[in-house]
Amino acid sequence: MTTLDLPPATVPAPAEPPAAAAEPRPEKRVRLGGFTREDVLTLVGSLVGSLALDWMLYERILPFSGAQGFLLCWYALFLVGYFAIGRLQWNPLMVRDRLVSVVAWSSGLLVVALIADQIGYVLTRGYHAAQHLNFFTQSMDHTAPLSPITSGGALNALVGSLEQLGLATLFAVPLGIAAAVFMSEVGGRMARPVRTLVEAMTALPSIVAGLFILGVVIITFGFEKSGFAASLALTVMMMPIVTRAAEVVIRLVPGTLREASYALGGSQWRTVWNVVLPTARPGLVTAVVLGMARGVGETSPVLLTSGFTSQFNGNPFSEHQVSLPLYIWNYVKQPYPDMIARAFAAALTLMIVVLVLFVTARVVGGRKPGQLTRRQKRRIDRAATRVEDSARGRDRGSARPAAVATARTAARPATAATALGEH
């Protein structure tokens, strides 16, 4: 019997216990937005330091003077100081981000401050006349330059501005939106010349529009100066603004909505009327407001086409009719304090009129794109109720709730498409 000498078996060493897992590091929360104490201290330190340096330069070293230059130099020194202080504690990317944020915030605050300053100045100068009720209920037909502030008002100018602006909006909005639809939806060889003409009319001086209506409507056709002629001049000023803004808004409507309408068998005009224009409604309202804001404050076209009168005239198609801009222009240059106060009160009234028109337009056309009207919602609910009643009559078993829900879900999109088609 042969035996083999084998090496002794090696006994495996006992396994070492696994190393303890490294403890995870605590997560550091990244703060997005907001202000920290370092941000506030850096901003305040830059403002105070730049103000002190600016004062030293203007008052002690350099021969400079003037409030405007002082403020501009202060702002420039503030930006430089903010960048330098921020570079000591932040990385370059964060410094550039904070610097751009400061420039954006300061620009917005500057615009708000300018608007508040203008409103406050007009309110301060015109409150003396606007606080009396007669300013909104009387005209200037029985008021002399030296009459007390409790006599006369701007009722004739307020009514004239509203009538002229209403007529101009009635003329300019359909023409402007139609031109925008032609350029964005129809196109063709004439689209480029029309767009070029609209762009040229956008930069048209207002007095040229007044001269055009004066030469064509009043002199050539023999119409008298009236509120209607003034509204035609305002139409010339408003129409290119409405057209340009409406074209931009219509081009923003997704093309998939048009394709869906064409796939359902809709024609081009029905697609534009029932899909494109309702979707772009908020933007179109903004375009109309921009046009009205351009026309309500024009003075030179109204001066050449409507004439001036101190009497009340509620008929824009006969005789002279004054508006608020023309009222302001005529009375603010007179050397009588009460007349100047009436002019500033009229300017304050004009601001209020613009604000009311803007808020009204936003409320009327403020629905979201694709949002149904109350009439369309009622029509959908009635159709869904009819489908629900029919489903209840066919099936009164346990499957009735599911059938009703399915019928309502199936009826709502179809009825919505029908509502858009019949709108």
Side-chain angles (χ1 to χ4, degrees), residues 270-314:
R270 185 172 290 276
T271 299
V272 172
W273 184 258
N274 294 329
V275 177
V276 176
L277 294 182
T279 304
R281 179 173 51 245
L284 295 177
V285 171
T286 303
V288 173
V289 171
L290 290 176
M292 295 172 67
R294 173 67 187 274
V296 73
E298 293 293 342
T299 305
S300 53
V302 179
L303 176 64
L304 297 175
T305 55
S306 70
F308 182 83
T309 178
S310 59
Q311 300 179 355
F312 179 84
N313 180 19

Side-chain angles (χ1 to χ4, degrees), residues 179-247:
V181 170
F182 171 76
M183 290 187 294
S184 59
E185 299 294 327
V186 179
R189 295 183 177 179
M190 292 300 298
R192 184 179 295 273
V194 172
R195 185 177 292 106
T196 303
L197 180 62
V198 170
E199 291 177 355
M201 291 180 63
T202 305
L204 184 71
S206 58
I207 195 171
V208 176
L211 290 174
F212 172 75
I213 300 300
L214 176 65
V216 175
V217 178
I218 297 177
I219 297 178
T220 304
F221 292 100
F223 288 88
E224 62 179 348
K225 292 184 177 182
S226 60
F228 175 72
S231 66
L232 295 179
L234 295 180
T235 301
V236 177
M237 301 302 303
M238 293 171 55
M239 187 174 62
I241 304 296
V242 176
T243 303
R244 288 292 302 276
E247 182 189 8

